């Protein structure tokens, strides 16, 4: 590959800046730059270049760069502390390598090493991610959390779906509770192990290597790189200036120049992996050591927190805050002009064991109450009872049952028997309500 | 009332501009090329963008909440995001060949949303209590921006696959010479000057193969950048959604169908990023994965809404028009 002779192609003269800029910027202005920015090193472009200046100094205005220390200081400021690799190894991408510098002595150290190497294998990780994605997709297709009867009917043995999927498959593999099933959890644990292995073996050494500016001092080493070019009449200074203008960080040591760009792209995967590990750890913690509960409380009544919470996993321990009593002072709703529900509110007071009110807040859907590690959310509303007074008798408390629920458009009904309640054809009044707004829209029917 | 009429006007303007632009393009392609209308698509895009933005703003003012509460509004927002991506890629990439992907996406999304397929979606609905939160703006807009970027990137990968595996080279000779010439105008001159190529490992066989190679490289590069951008947005959107879910329902993640499919989308594009790190898996393999990702995004966005179940059921609709 014959070196480019800039003097010939662009009419000679001093440094051909345009040639450099088109060569080294990661745009598609020239064929070579296609490869330089082809994503092997995502968003990072590292050039380790040493320019051979030709011996005829008459062809360029600047003197030779070979051994002029002052040029380095003048142009680029103080050189940073560098530790150079003795054999000039340059990393060209995030290939998987054996962990650097760990002694392999002893059998006990070798087995975990092999396990680590096996776990941080990239195709394995890709396969794991595919499997997890497929399992999640299955989890949305198969109905989750239903009674076994549902699966007996939906995946019967006499007429299996797709020819082989019966309820035995679904219930046996735990697909009815896919996201807590052993299969899924095992895949997640495997993925976490791969993440940890990969971060330890590959990413952390990569940080160490990336932080060292590996200058290359021989032409052969540079030409062994995937992309290399020889520009015999070029000047390192101008190359450095052009690179800095293009956003690279440039370091010069003697006759060698080292520039890189996009260091953040090296650290970002580490951050993402660590974040995923943290999320998984948090999820494990809350899956094994938390409490959940839900309760429907009519206005004016109380409940004790500890009564309604049930533990999620084996590590859940109740706290002192579980002894507080929650009193519903008032429940009310806001409506839009069209009559639909805009928001529903509950005014709550918390009382400690000795009857003192410790907190009072009105909660609504996106605004929960937090006290002592417990969070109380407003999730739903309903009618609990209807009080009717008739001819001065009563009031009669009639429990209401939901007739139809469609999100926030709910319909509740109850039945008030009139007359002889023992006869088989009981006469009575049906009352149905769907709104807390006073009067006007109640429907009642008498038979 | 003024806002309703304003919305009507803007909707009609945008839809008619779209129809005119598509008609002009089809005429150019199939029948007869009118030279003066060559940049009509750009002007049409800008006009459509302004009318879409005006539509969203007027809906915002008239309904009092950020215009992202149902599927229609999210589709309009999606076409808006496509246009934003179109503009960004035009600024960064001076030859602007990505407009072949972003322009039709904008146009078709806008057309589908405005069409008569589901007119009952068009009225601005009130916000249910669960949606009345500041997180609505952040989470949903991030997700839609990410969908737009990921869709563009996946379409570029599909284009790469189609171009790589098309066997008839006549395709490049005949009608698309104009396109390719406009890509590489500046490079032909450079190529003539450099007699020896700097490639080490490409076969520089024939003129046509070289152009095809250039095109695929370019598509590859741009699809990687788009998908990385979209992946970032998707991550931010999913995290915002999880934090919002904790505020509203008490748990960060409840394996809702929509959430699960968003996570599946995230996983597929994470696989894509991983295949890009290793040189042996790069190239058409990663393009294949991005193409799968295209369909998964549509399932995540539309398919789950069609089912209409779960906590995310605000966007459900039926395809029968009343």
């Amino acid at each position: 590959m014959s070196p480019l002779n800039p003097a010939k192609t662009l009419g000679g003269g001093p440094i051909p800046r345009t040639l450099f800029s088109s060569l080294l910027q990661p745009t598609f202005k020239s064929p070579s730059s296609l490869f330089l920015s082809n994503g092997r090193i995502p968003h990072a472009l590292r050039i380790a270049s040493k320019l051979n200046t030709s011996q005829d100094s008459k062809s360029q205005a600047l003197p030779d760069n070979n051994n002029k220390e002052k040029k380095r200081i003048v142009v680029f400021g103080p050189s940073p502390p560098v530790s150079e690799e003795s054999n000039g190894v340059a990393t060209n991408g995030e290939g998987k390598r054996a962990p650097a510098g760990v002694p392999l002595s002893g059998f006990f150290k070798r087995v975990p090493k092999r396990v680590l190497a096996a776990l941080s294998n990239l195709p394995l990780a890709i396969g794991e991610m595919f499997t997890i994605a497929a399992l999640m997709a299955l989890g949305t297709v198969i109905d989750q959390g239903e009674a076994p009867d549902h699966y007996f009917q939906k995946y019967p043995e006499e007429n299996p779906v797709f020819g082989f999927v019966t309820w035995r498959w679904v219930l046996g593999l735990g697909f009815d509770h896919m996201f807590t099933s052993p299969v899924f959890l095992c895949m997640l644990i495997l993925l976490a192990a791969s993440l940890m292995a990969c971060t330890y073996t590959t990413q952390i050494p990569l940080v160490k290597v990336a932080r060292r500016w590996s200058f290359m001092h021989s032409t052969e080493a540079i030409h062994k790189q995937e992309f290399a070019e020889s520009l015999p009449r070029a000047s390192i200074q101008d190359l450095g200036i052009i690179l800095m203008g293009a956003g690279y960080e440039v370091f010069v040591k003697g006759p060698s120049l080292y520039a890189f760009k996009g260091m953040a792209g090296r650290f970002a995967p580490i951050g993402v992996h660590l974040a995923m590990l943290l999320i998984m750890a948090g999820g494990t913690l809350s899956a094994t050591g938390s409490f959940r509960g839900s309760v429907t409380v009519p206005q004016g009544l109380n409940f004790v927190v500890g009564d309604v919470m049930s533990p999620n996993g084996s590590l859940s321990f109740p706290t002192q805050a579980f002894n507080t009593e929650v009193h519903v002072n008032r429940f009310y709703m806001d409506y839009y002009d069209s009559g639909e529900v805009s928001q529903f509110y509950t005014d709550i007071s918390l009382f400690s064991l000795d009857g003192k009110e410790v907190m009072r807040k009105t909660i609504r859907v996106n605004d929960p109450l937090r006290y002592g590690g417990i969070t109380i959310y407003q999730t739903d509303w309903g009618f609990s009872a209807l009080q009717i007074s008739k001819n001065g008798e009563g009031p009669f408390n009639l429990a209401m049952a939901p007739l139809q629920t469609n999100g926030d458009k709910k319909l509740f009904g109850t039945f008030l028997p009139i007359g002889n309640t023992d006869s088989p054809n009981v006469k009575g009044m049906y009352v149905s309500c769907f709104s807390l707004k006073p009067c006007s829209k109640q429907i009642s029917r008498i038979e | 009332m003024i806002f309703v009429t304003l919305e009507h006007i803007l909707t009609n303007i945008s839809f008619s501009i779209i129809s005119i632009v598509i008609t002009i393009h089809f005429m150019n392609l199939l029948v007869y090329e009118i030279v003066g209308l060559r940049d009509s698509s750009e002007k049409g895009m800008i006009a459509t963008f302004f009318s879409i933005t005006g539509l969203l703003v007027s809906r915002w003012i008239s309904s009092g909440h950020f215009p992202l509460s149902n599927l229609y509004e999210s589709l309009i927002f999606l076409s808006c995001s496509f246009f934003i991506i179109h503009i960004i890629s035009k600024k960064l990439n001076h030859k602007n060949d990505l407009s072949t992907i972003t322009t039709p996406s904008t146009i078709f999304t806008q057309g589908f949303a405005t069409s008569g397929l589901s007119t009952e979606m068009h009225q601005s609905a009130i916000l249910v209590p669960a949606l009345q939160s500041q997180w609505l703006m952040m989470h949903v807009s991030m997700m839609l921006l990410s969908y737009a970027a990921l869709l563009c990137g996946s379409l570029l990968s599909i284009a790469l696959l189609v171009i790589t595996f098309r066997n008839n080279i006549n395709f490049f000779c005949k009608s698309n010479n104009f396109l390719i010439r406009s890509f590489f105008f500046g490079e032909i001159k450079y190529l003539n000057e450099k007699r020896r190529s700097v490639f080490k490992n490409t076969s520089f066989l024939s003129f046509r193969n070289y152009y095809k190679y250039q095109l695929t490289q370019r598509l590859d590069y741009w699809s990687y950048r788009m998908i990385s951008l979209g992946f970032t947005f998707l991550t931010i959107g999913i995290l915002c959604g999880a934090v919002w879910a904790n505020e509203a329902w008490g748990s960060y993640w409840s394996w809702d169908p929509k959430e699960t499919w968003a996570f599946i989308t995230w996983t597929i594009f994470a696989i894509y990023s991983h295949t890009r790190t290793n040189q042996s898996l790069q190239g058409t393999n990663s393009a294949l994965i991005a193409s799968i990702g295209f369909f998964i995004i549509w399932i995540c966005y539309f398919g789950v809404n069609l089912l209409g179940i779960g906590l995310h059921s605000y966007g459900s609709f039926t395809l029968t028009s009343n």
Side-chain angles (χ1 to χ4, degrees):
Chain A
M1 176 179 81
S2 75
L4 266 184
N5 201 340
K8 262 201 211 143
T9 57
L10 293 169
I15 315 305
R17 295 178 79 101
T18 52
L19 186 66
F20 288 162
S21 61
S22 69
L23 186 67
L24 293 165
Q25 270 173 4
T27 62
F28 280 78
K29 290 200 189 116
S30 74
S32 60
S33 66
L34 283 177
F35 296 98
L36 285 171
S37 55
N38 200 15
R40 273 230 289 153
I41 306 165
H43 309 300
L45 187 63
R46 292 206 296 158
I47 303 171
S49 63
K50 169 179 182 255
L51 297 173
N52 286 322
T53 61
S54 60
Q55 294 306 99
D56 48 314
S57 54
K58 64 178 179 327
S59 67
Q60 43 183 54
L62 298 160
D64 289 351
N65 294 331
N66 281 332
N67 47 12
K68 293 288 187 295
E69 289 286 322
K70 62 173 164 62
K71 219 187 309 297
R72 167 167 58 96
I73 297 172
V74 163
V75 176
F76 297 109
S79 63
V82 265
S83 63
E84 54 177 319
E85 307 264 56
S86 54
N87 53 356
V89 165
T91 56
N92 273 330
E94 281 126 316
K96 301 287 180 264
R97 304 168 298 154
V102 180
L104 290 177
S105 58
F107 177 72
F108 280 133
K109 289 195 180 135
R110 236 177 300 175
V111 165
K113 204 71 54 213
R114 270 208 292 255
V115 169
L116 270 183
L119 275 179
S120 58
N121 187 16
L122 183 67
L124 175 71
I126 293 182
E128 281 169 12
M129 289 196 274
F130 257 127
T131 319
I132 290 180
L135 284 176
M136 288 198 281
L138 261 185
T140 53
V141 169
I142 301 179
D143 300 323
Q144 299 284 304
E146 305 273 351
D149 235 4
H150 179 93
Y151 300 105
F152 294 159
Q153 284 167 6
K154 217 164 170 195
Y155 305 98
E157 269 182 317
E158 308 81 47
N159 187 15
V161 177
F162 292 127
F164 67 97
V165 179
T166 64
W167 58 265
R168 288 187 194 276
W169 280 83
V170 173
L171 291 178
L173 287 172
F175 285 174
D176 59 327
H177 55 284
M178 166 71 81
F179 301 108
T180 46
S181 69
V183 175
F184 191 65
L185 291 177
C186 275
M187 291 307 302
L188 282 182
I189 293 173
L190 199 59
L191 186 69
S194 281
L195 272 176
M196 287 193 270
C198 171
T199 308
Y200 180 69
T201 61
T202 312
Q203 315 277 45
I204 294 180
L206 211 58
V207 174
K208 288 194 206 122
V209 171
R211 291 180 70 91
R212 291 191 216 143
W213 301 287
S214 48
F215 285 89
M216 279 181 236
H217 292 280
S218 67
T219 336
E220 292 78 28
I222 293 181
H223 278 285
K224 275 197 212 126
Q225 299 278 315
E226 181 157 347
F227 313 112
E229 183 84 34
S230 276
L231 300 155
R233 291 166 198 266
S235 137
I236 272 196
Q237 280 175 290
D238 290 321
L239 184 62
I241 294 174
I242 293 169
L243 284 174
M244 279 168 71
Y248 287 78
E249 290 196 36
V250 177
F251 302 100
V252 174
K253 180 175 163 163
S256 306
L257 178 147
Y258 182 86
F260 67 84
K261 185 177 180 182
M263 182 67 106
R266 292 289 177 133
F267 296 133
I270 303 181
V272 176
H273 286 177
L274 284 177
M276 286 196 61
L277 284 172
L278 263 181
I279 290 178
M280 285 193 197
T284 315
L285 190 64
S286 67
T288 53
S290 71
F291 283 84
R292 307 190 66 104
S294 84
V295 62
T296 314
V297 187
Q299 177 173 302
L301 296 187
N302 319 346
F303 66 94
V304 178
V305 173
D307 290 341
V308 301
M309 301 280 249
S310 57
N312 252 351
S314 44
L315 291 178
S316 323
F317 296 107
T319 68
Q320 183 58 27
F322 275 42
N323 286 328
T324 50
E325 194 180 329
V326 181
H327 179 73
V328 176
N329 295 320
R330 189 173 155 236
F331 171 76
Y332 57 99
M333 303 207 292
D334 272 349
Y335 294 90
Y336 288 108
D337 292 335
S338 58
E340 298 183 21
V341 179
S342 142
Q343 186 63 274
F344 33 95
Y345 306 85
T346 308
D347 185 2
I348 285 188
S349 302
L350 289 177
F351 293 96
S352 64
L353 268 183
D354 46 359
K356 216 161 33 99
E357 180 176 6
V358 289
M359 190 162 184
R360 182 173 183 154
K361 185 177 163 146
T362 303
I363 62 172
R364 53 195 179 96
V365 178
N366 276 311
D367 187 15
L369 178 149
R370 291 176 216 271
Y371 172 75
I374 300 177
T375 319
I376 301 182
Y377 299 87
Q378 170 90 56
T379 51
D380 208 351
W381 64 277
F383 283 104
S384 65
L386 184 69
Q387 279 191 337
I388 295 185
S389 61
K390 174 181 179 296
N391 295 338
E393 300 165 11
F396 302 104
N397 271 346
L398 298 168
M400 300 204 79
L403 297 177
Q404 183 185 332
T405 53
N406 184 12
D408 280 324
K409 300 189 171 88
K410 299 180 206 256
L411 190 67
F412 285 79
T414 187
F415 175 72
L416 174 67
I418 297 175
N420 194 357
T421 51
D422 293 328
S423 70
N425 302 332
V426 180
K427 289 211 180 97
M429 183 164 70
Y430 291 96
V431 184
S432 44
C433 319
F434 58 84
S435 166
L436 268 187
K437 276 208 280 202
C439 61
S440 68
K441 289 202 172 85
Q442 318 294 3
I443 310 168
S444 58
R445 204 174 71 183
I446 302 181
E447 346 186 310
Chain B
M1 269 320 281
I2 182 172
F3 287 117
V4 178
T5 42
L6 193 61
E7 278 180 43
H8 270 287
I9 293 173
L10 288 171
T11 319
N12 288 333
I13 287 177
S14 58
F15 197 63
S16 36
I17 291 177
I18 287 168
S19 320
I20 292 173
V21 167
I22 289 184
T23 321
I24 291 177
H25 269 273
F26 270 121
M27 259 177 37
N28 277 353
L29 192 63
L30 297 174
V31 178
Y32 173 70
E33 185 158 342
I34 304 175
V35 177
L37 290 176
R38 189 161 296 160
D39 57 345
S40 63
S41 74
E42 266 315 301
K43 299 204 176 86
M45 283 283 283
I46 296 177
T48 314
F49 173 66
F50 279 120
S51 46
I52 289 178
T53 313
L55 182 67
L56 283 176
V57 169
S58 72
R59 276 186 91 113
W60 192 352
I61 297 175
S62 71
S63 66
H65 59 82
F66 197 69
L68 273 180
S69 63
N70 65 356
L71 195 62
Y72 172 68
E73 289 172 349
S74 67
L75 276 172
I76 302 276
F77 201 89
L78 187 70
S79 69
C80 210
S81 325
F82 275 127
F83 186 80
I84 292 174
I85 290 183
H86 170 83
I87 288 289
I88 291 176
S89 67
K90 196 158 79 137
K91 288 284 180 293
L92 289 179
N93 171 25
H94 300 287
K95 293 211 179 68
N96 195 23
D97 50 344
L98 293 180
S99 65
T100 45
I101 298 286
T102 52
T103 316
S105 310
T106 316
I107 288 178
F108 282 127
T109 323
Q110 165 68 10
F112 174 68
T114 323
S115 70
L117 276 182
S118 43
T119 44
E120 73 268 7
M121 276 201 310
H122 291 192
Q123 295 95 12
S124 83
I126 48 134
L127 272 186
V128 294
L131 286 184
Q132 288 175 18
S133 164
Q134 301 288 43
W135 286 105
L136 174 69
M137 284 192 260
M138 180 71 168
H139 168 61
V140 186
S141 57
M142 269 294 142
M143 294 302 282
L144 286 173
L145 271 173
S146 80
Y147 285 161
L150 289 173
L151 282 171
C152 281
S154 322
L155 281 173
L156 287 170
S157 288
I158 294 182
L160 188 151
L161 282 179
V162 166
I163 290 178
T164 311
F165 292 117
R166 269 191 93 105
N167 286 326
N168 34 344
I169 308 180
N170 293 337
F171 176 65
F172 284 96
C173 282
K174 229 183 4 166
S175 59
N176 281 9
N177 263 339
F178 161 67
L179 230 85
I180 300 175
R181 253 184 276 133
S182 73
F183 290 170
F184 305 118
F185 180 72
E187 295 169 68
I188 297 175
K189 200 166 140 226
Y190 179 61
L191 187 65
N192 284 336
E193 286 165 2
K194 271 177 62 118
R195 280 295 117 206
R196 313 288 177 97
S197 89
V198 285
F199 305 118
K200 269 194 204 164
N201 36 353
T202 64
S203 55
F204 187 55
L205 290 177
S206 76
F207 207 54
R208 291 184 224 121
N209 270 349
Y210 174 66
Y211 276 159
K212 179 171 169 178
Y213 186 75
Q214 281 266 2
L215 185 60
T216 53
Q217 284 295 315
R218 189 175 203 145
L219 285 175
D220 193 43
Y221 177 70
W222 274 100
S223 93
Y224 179 60
R225 289 184 77 170
M226 285 278 213
I227 289 182
S228 300
L229 183 71
F231 188 67
T232 313
F233 283 150
L234 185 67
T235 314
I236 297 176
I238 291 180
L239 291 175
C240 287
V243 176
W244 185 12
N246 190 37
E247 283 287 314
W249 299 315
S251 104
Y252 285 99
W253 192 262
S254 39
W255 295 112
D256 187 47
K258 184 89 172 199
E259 287 175 1
T260 312
W261 276 100
F263 194 57
I264 293 176
T265 313
W266 190 88
T267 309
I268 292 286
F269 286 107
I271 294 175
Y272 176 83
S273 310
H274 278 86
T275 55
R276 299 292 295 204
T277 63
N278 195 345
Q279 191 65 8
S280 69
L281 298 174
Q282 214 177 354
T284 49
N285 286 326
S286 53
L288 205 61
I289 293 174
S291 319
I292 297 175
F294 178 73
F295 295 109
I296 294 196
I297 295 178
W298 280 117
I299 298 178
C300 174
Y301 187 38
F302 258 30
V304 178
N305 285 341
L306 277 179
L307 287 180
I309 54 172
L311 298 162
H312 270 95
S313 57
Y314 317 111
S316 60
F317 70 103
T318 55
L319 276 177
T320 60
S321 53
N322 295 343

